[in-house]
Amino acid sequence: FTADPLFTVLVRCACLPLAVLIHYLREDESEKLLGCTLVVVAELISCLSMAFTLLEVDAALCKQEQTAMDLEKHIQKREEDMKETEKVLRAARRLLSVTCDCCERLTHHWQIVEP
């Protein structure tokens, strides 16, 4: 896939006259008009099909990219929150160490685990 799905479709459409010319040169004299018409219709259908497919894939990739960026922001926020919690716990331990003259361990609910 390319970065720009519209460019891919436009290149395919730009090659349409070449495909018709090649088919025209290869066909018998009696079936040239019908054969070229069928080639044009087939190429247009394939271009439209490719355009819809590429645009759908591009939209899905954009949505996935946005989700990944949102998740990254959420992870960074959680890391900052954890660092802040660690700072508070260290401060609480220092305060308990000073006031109780011993080292205390706290749970997340601020209960003393070990004196």
Side-chain angles (χ1 to χ4, degrees), residues 34-84:
L34 178 63
C36 289
T37 305
L38 291 176
V39 167
V40 169
V41 170
E43 286 292 321
L44 288 176
I45 289 172
S46 71
C47 284
L48 287 174
S49 173
M50 186 171 48
F52 290 136
T53 303
L54 288 174
L55 290 173
E56 184 67 30
V57 168
D58 188 49
L61 288 176
C62 287
K63 185 177 180 182
Q64 184 179 16
E65 183 179 332
Q66 183 62 40
T67 303
M69 289 190 302
D70 292 344
L71 182 61
E72 186 177 338
K73 287 179 186 177
H74 181 71
I75 288 172
Q76 288 175 351
K77 186 178 183 305
R78 290 282 285 196
E79 286 177 351
E80 290 174 3
D81 291 344
M82 289 178 68
K83 287 178 184 177
E84 193 65 33

Side-chain angles (χ1 to χ4, degrees), residues 14-29:
C15 292
L16 180 63
L18 182 61
V20 172
L21 178 65
I22 290 171
H23 186 76
Y24 180 79
L25 294 175
R26 292 179 64 197
E27 279 293 321
D28 294 335
E29 290 296 324

Side-chain angles (χ1 to χ4, degrees), residues 73-114:
K73 287 179 186 177
H74 181 71
I75 288 172
Q76 288 175 351
K77 186 178 183 305
R78 290 282 285 196
E79 286 177 351
E80 290 174 3
D81 291 344
M82 289 178 68
K83 287 178 184 177
E84 193 65 33
T85 303
E86 287 177 15
K87 286 180 185 178
V88 170
L89 285 174
R90 271 191 251 125
R93 284 190 188 112
R94 278 191 242 129
L95 181 62
L96 283 174
S97 177
V98 169
T99 56
C100 300
D101 200 22
C102 64
C103 186
E104 302 290 336
R105 292 199 178 170
L106 301 176
T107 65
H108 292 292
H109 301 290
W110 300 96
Q111 296 172 345
I112 297 175
V113 177
E114 296 177 3

